[in-house]
Amino acid sequence: MNDKSHVSLERRVCLVCGTHFDTGSILLDKRLRASMERYTTTGLGLCAEHQRLFDDGFVALVECDPERSGSPAADGRLKPEQAYCTGRLAHLKRELFSKVFNAPIAVDLPCVFVEPGVIEKLQAMCAH
Ligand SMILES: [Zn+2]
């Protein structure tokens, strides 16, 4: 049985938690060939929950294992697809982020990758 179709539901992968989610968009094969699976993952995005946190002014800290992640690009930034996430997450208000890390954060940046131990330190700080 061939379950391919000329339409496909667009999905994206959440940058923060790695969940596949529906964008609500439908992709159409331009030549109307039955070339596509039921779902097509087109790239990275933010799931509903993390979009909401982003809109509320939070930045997500995603813990990555540097040993298992790919090497960062020339500008020192790690590409999301190369990051090996440990599954540990934290959310921090943007204004707090700039204070804690002593660095400004771009307003359109939904998440940053941090090394193991950073989230623990932060949680210890916030517990005081
Ligand atoms: Zn998410």
Side-chain angles (χ1 to χ4, degrees):
M1 208 178 97
N2 186 359
D3 59 358
K4 293 208 174 178
S5 168
H6 64 280
V7 289
S8 182
L9 299 171
E10 186 187 30
R11 276 192 164 172
R12 289 207 177 152
V13 181
C14 180
L15 265 169
V16 178
C17 61
T19 305
H20 290 246
F21 62 96
D22 297 348
T23 62
S25 303
I26 290 175
L27 305 168
L28 193 66
D29 186 293
K30 284 195 190 82
R31 278 172 277 178
L32 299 180
R33 287 171 314 175
S35 63
M36 292 188 284
E37 305 285 346
R38 184 167 165 76
Y39 293 103
T40 303
T41 304
T42 55
L44 293 158
L46 287 174
C47 69
E49 187 194 342
H50 290 114
Q51 182 65 52
R52 188 173 50 78
L53 284 162
F54 175 65
D55 292 342
D56 285 350
F58 286 94
V59 59
L61 305 181
V62 182
E63 188 181 272
C64 283
D65 187 343
E67 305 265 299
R68 299 202 215 178
S69 300
S71 28
D75 63 0
R77 276 207 197 182
L78 193 60
K79 284 200 201 118
E81 58 269 26
Q82 286 184 314
Y84 184 92
C85 299
T86 61
R88 182 170 275 173
L89 287 177
H91 282 86
L92 201 63
K93 277 274 184 191
R94 285 169 185 280
E95 54 267 31
L96 207 59
F97 181 95
S98 331
K99 269 188 218 154
V100 171
F101 290 96
N102 203 13
I105 178 163
V107 284
D108 58 348
L109 193 69
C111 74
V112 284
F113 296 110
V114 296
E115 288 185 11
V118 172
I119 290 175
E120 266 136 332
K121 256 186 234 163
L122 268 177
Q123 281 166 345
M125 279 167 67
C126 297
H128 286 289

